Amino acid sequence: MTKKVNGLFLCEECDLLYRKEELAQKCEDWCREKKSCNIEITKHAVNKSELSL
Ligand SMILES: [Zn+2]
């Protein structure tokens, strides 16, 4: 399950944030299964430095 954080969606496996739940879910499924990140997915991640948390 992805977690919603400040209107964004978190991959709980790798801690990357996405604007779309679909992408966060894809990332999480991939991370869990492959134990690595998929650049085709992670390129859509939100840069944390852009966020004012
Ligand atoms: Zn991930």
Side-chain angles (χ1 to χ4, degrees):
M1 270 290 277
T2 58
K3 225 194 287 180
K4 202 169 184 196
V5 181
N6 293 347
L8 297 166
F9 299 92
L10 177 74
C11 167
E12 291 192 288
E13 294 293 313
C14 69
D15 280 346
L16 286 175
L17 289 163
Y18 294 89
R19 293 187 199 281
K20 288 186 180 175
E21 184 173 18
E22 188 192 329
L23 287 168
Q25 190 60 63
K26 261 189 200 173
C27 184
E28 199 170 290
D29 290 346
W30 184 281
C31 291
R32 191 164 290 153
E33 195 181 316
K34 314 280 183 183
K35 302 292 176 204
S36 70
C37 284
N38 182 342
I39 186 72
E40 290 301 314
I41 299 172
T42 59
K43 71 182 180 187
H44 298 290
V46 176
N47 188 339
K48 280 180 185 171
S49 64
E50 288 174 17
L51 302 171
S52 46
L53 295 176

